[in-house]
Amino acid sequence: MAGHSKWANIQHRKGRQDAARSKLFSKLAKEITVAAKMGDPDPEKNPRLRLAVKEAKGQSVPKDVIERAIKKSLGGDAENYDEIRYEGYGPNGVAVIVETMTDNKNRTASTVRSTFSKNGGNLGETGSVGFMFERKGEVVYPATAGDADDVMMAAIEAGAEDVESSEDGHIIYCADTDLNDVSNALEGELGESESTKLIWKPSTTTELGLEDMQKLMKLVDALEDDDDVQRVTTNFEASDEVMAQL
């Protein structure tokens, strides 16, 4: 299973998702507000907003929080956010992509740079690690959605490119521009997904031992703790033995 999928499992196992749930909700709400402000406030007429709402529902964000985030985009007091991507290196040269949404570029740049340096990483230039990833659509279903063959058939018919199935669930990948269509088709076959979003999928990975994995987790946790940071992606790979010790 790809590194970022393992990462989600570590966080879930350690209860970090619960501890950071309110922070996660606010980040998902921010994405909804920005998507609604950039396009139509009706999710049916705005693919980006539809995906943002779908992802929020998958993470159990309450309906009133979603509606409030959309309404906020219609008010004149809604903040203007810039979407900025930072790229850098973590322990053992592992690649790190940090996606941010900020109303103060200088503050965010300073905080991200400082977080890298305090946690044994280095912030690089834009494009320094981006070539090691591909922009893809990702739809996640629980193992209970069906067996691997059924999910594979549904994914092929929906126009997806690849499926990773394991005891933890099914991860379906598609071209970034096809995510809205593919996720809608899958919903008709498999029901509501656990997660539907655009991701950076590593095309090359860096193997990490236990000590470097612990350092990487510290770096990613510190980055994700920043309210301006929407998502952090790395291209780590680690053995099952290392993962079991985390």
Coordinates of all heavy atoms in Angstrom, one line a residue, residues 25-37 41 49 52-53 56 61-75 78:
F25 N -12.0 19.9 10.7 CA -13.3 20.5 10.2 C -13.1 21.9 9.7 O -13.7 22.3 8.7 CB -14.3 20.5 11.4 CG -15.0 19.2 11.7 CD1 -14.5 18.1 11.1 CD2 -16.0 19.1 12.6 CE1 -15.2 16.8 11.3 CE2 -16.7 17.9 12.8 CZ -16.2 16.8 12.2
S26 N -12.3 22.7 10.4 CA -12.1 24.1 10.0 C -11.3 24.2 8.7 O -11.6 25.0 7.8 CB -11.3 24.9 11.1 OG -10.0 24.5 11.2
K27 N -10.4 23.2 8.4 CA -9.7 23.2 7.1 C -10.6 22.8 6.0 O -10.6 23.4 4.9 CB -8.5 22.3 7.2 CG -7.4 22.8 8.2 CD -6.2 21.9 8.2 CE -5.2 22.5 9.2 NZ -3.9 21.9 9.2
L28 N -11.5 21.8 6.3 CA -12.5 21.4 5.2 C -13.5 22.6 5.0 O -13.9 22.8 3.8 CB -13.2 20.2 5.7 CG -12.3 18.9 5.7 CD1 -13.0 17.8 6.5 CD2 -11.9 18.4 4.3
A29 N -13.9 23.2 6.0 CA -14.8 24.4 5.9 C -14.2 25.5 5.1 O -14.8 26.1 4.2 CB -15.3 24.9 7.2
K30 N -12.9 25.7 5.3 CA -12.2 26.8 4.5 C -12.2 26.4 3.0 O -12.4 27.3 2.2 CB -10.7 26.9 5.0 CG -10.0 28.1 4.5 CD -8.5 28.1 4.8 CE -8.2 28.4 6.2 NZ -6.7 28.5 6.4
E31 N -11.9 25.2 2.7 CA -11.9 24.7 1.3 C -13.3 24.9 0.7 O -13.4 25.3 -0.5 CB -11.5 23.2 1.2 CG -11.7 22.6 -0.1 CD -11.0 23.2 -1.3 OE1 -9.9 23.8 -1.1 OE2 -11.5 23.0 -2.4
I32 N -14.4 24.6 1.4 CA -15.7 24.8 0.9 C -16.0 26.3 0.6 O -16.5 26.6 -0.4 CB -16.7 24.3 2.0 CG1 -16.7 22.7 2.0 CG2 -18.2 24.7 1.6 CD1 -17.5 22.1 3.1
T33 N -15.6 27.2 1.6 CA -15.8 28.6 1.4 C -15.1 29.1 0.2 O -15.6 29.9 -0.6 CB -15.3 29.4 2.7 OG1 -16.1 28.9 3.8 CG2 -15.5 30.9 2.5
V34 N -13.8 28.7 0.0 CA -13.0 29.2 -1.1 C -13.6 28.6 -2.4 O -13.7 29.4 -3.4 CB -11.5 28.7 -1.0 CG1 -10.8 28.9 -2.2 CG2 -10.9 29.5 0.2
A35 N -14.0 27.4 -2.5 CA -14.6 26.8 -3.7 C -15.8 27.5 -4.1 O -16.1 27.7 -5.2 CB -14.8 25.3 -3.5
A36 N -16.7 27.8 -3.1 CA -18.0 28.4 -3.3 C -17.7 29.9 -3.8 O -18.4 30.4 -4.7 CB -18.8 28.4 -2.1
K37 N -16.7 30.5 -3.2 CA -16.5 31.9 -3.6 C -15.9 32.0 -5.0 O -16.2 33.0 -5.8 CB -15.5 32.5 -2.6 CG -15.3 34.0 -2.7 CD -14.5 34.6 -1.6 CE -14.5 36.1 -1.7 NZ -13.7 36.8 -0.6
P41 N -22.2 28.9 -5.8 CA -22.4 28.4 -4.5 C -23.3 27.1 -4.5 O -23.5 26.5 -3.4 CB -23.1 29.5 -3.8 CG -23.7 30.4 -4.8 CD -22.9 30.3 -6.0
L49 N -16.6 22.6 -5.6 CA -17.4 22.7 -4.4 C -18.0 21.4 -4.1 O -18.1 21.0 -2.9 CB -18.4 23.8 -4.5 CG -19.4 24.0 -3.3 CD1 -18.6 24.3 -2.0 CD2 -20.4 25.1 -3.6
A52 N -15.5 19.2 -2.5 CA -15.2 19.7 -1.1 C -16.3 19.3 -0.2 O -16.0 18.9 1.0 CB -15.0 21.2 -1.1
V53 N -17.5 19.4 -0.6 CA -18.7 19.0 0.3 C -18.7 17.5 0.5 O -18.9 17.0 1.6 CB -20.0 19.5 -0.4 CG1 -21.2 18.8 0.4 CG2 -20.1 21.0 -0.3
A56 N -16.0 16.6 2.9 CA -16.4 17.0 4.3 C -17.4 16.0 4.9 O -17.3 15.6 6.0 CB -17.0 18.4 4.3
V61 N -18.3 15.9 8.8 CA -18.5 17.3 9.1 C -20.0 17.5 9.2 O -20.7 17.2 8.2 CB -17.9 18.2 8.1 CG1 -18.2 19.7 8.4 CG2 -16.3 18.1 8.1
P62 N -20.6 18.1 10.3 CA -22.0 18.3 10.4 C -22.5 19.2 9.2 O -21.9 20.1 8.7 CB -22.2 19.1 11.7 CG -20.9 18.7 12.5 CD -19.8 18.6 11.5
K63 N -23.8 18.9 8.8 CA -24.4 19.6 7.7 C -24.5 21.1 7.9 O -24.3 21.9 7.0 CB -25.9 19.0 7.6 CG -26.6 19.5 6.3 CD -28.0 18.9 6.2 CE -28.7 19.4 5.0 NZ -30.1 18.9 5.0
D64 N -24.7 21.5 9.2 CA -24.8 23.0 9.4 C -23.5 23.7 9.3 O -23.4 24.9 8.9 CB -25.4 23.3 10.8 CG -24.5 22.8 11.9 OD1 -24.0 21.7 11.8 OD2 -24.4 23.5 13.0
V65 N -22.4 23.0 9.5 CA -21.1 23.6 9.3 C -20.8 23.7 7.8 O -20.3 24.8 7.4 CB -20.0 22.6 10.0 CG1 -18.6 23.2 9.6 CG2 -20.1 22.6 11.5
I66 N -21.2 22.8 7.0 CA -21.1 22.8 5.6 C -21.9 24.0 5.0 O -21.4 24.8 4.2 CB -21.5 21.5 4.9 CG1 -20.5 20.4 5.3 CG2 -21.5 21.7 3.4 CD1 -20.9 19.0 4.9
E67 N -23.1 24.1 5.5 CA -24.0 25.2 5.0 C -23.5 26.6 5.4 O -23.5 27.5 4.6 CB -25.4 25.0 5.5 CG -26.1 23.8 4.9 CD -27.5 23.5 5.5 OE1 -27.8 24.1 6.5 OE2 -28.2 22.6 4.9
R68 N -23.0 26.6 6.6 CA -22.4 27.9 7.1 C -21.2 28.3 6.3 O -21.0 29.5 6.0 CB -22.0 27.8 8.6 CG -22.0 29.1 9.3 CD -22.1 28.9 10.8 NE -21.2 28.0 11.4 CZ -21.6 26.9 12.1 NH1 -22.9 26.6 12.3 NH2 -20.7 26.1 12.7
A69 N -20.4 27.3 5.9 CA -19.2 27.6 5.1 C -19.5 28.2 3.7 O -18.9 29.0 3.2 CB -18.3 26.4 5.0
I70 N -20.6 27.6 3.1 CA -21.1 28.1 1.8 C -21.7 29.5 1.9 O -21.4 30.4 1.1 CB -22.1 27.1 1.2 CG1 -21.5 25.8 0.9 CG2 -22.8 27.7 0.0 CD1 -22.5 24.7 0.4
K71 N -22.5 29.7 3.0 CA -23.1 31.0 3.2 C -22.0 32.1 3.4 O -22.1 33.2 3.0 CB -24.0 31.0 4.4 CG -25.4 30.5 4.1 CD -26.2 30.5 5.3 CE -27.6 29.8 5.0 NZ -28.2 29.3 6.3
K72 N -20.9 31.7 4.1 CA -19.8 32.6 4.3 C -19.2 33.2 3.1 O -18.8 34.3 3.0 CB -18.7 32.0 5.2 CG -17.6 32.9 5.7 CD -16.6 32.1 6.6 CE -15.6 33.1 7.1 NZ -14.5 32.4 7.8
S73 N -19.2 32.4 2.0 CA -18.6 32.8 0.7 C -19.5 33.9 0.1 O -19.0 34.6 -0.8 CB -18.5 31.6 -0.2 OG -19.8 31.2 -0.7
L74 N -20.7 33.9 0.4 CA -21.7 34.9 -0.2 C -21.6 36.3 0.5 O -22.0 37.3 -0.1 CB -23.1 34.4 -0.1 CG -23.3 33.0 -0.8 CD1 -24.7 32.5 -0.5 CD2 -23.1 33.1 -2.3
G75 N -21.1 36.3 1.7 CA -21.0 37.6 2.4 C -19.8 38.4 2.0 O -18.7 37.8 1.6
A78 N -16.1 37.6 3.7 CA -15.3 36.4 3.5 C -13.8 36.8 3.1 O -13.6 37.6 2.2 CB -15.9 35.5 2.4

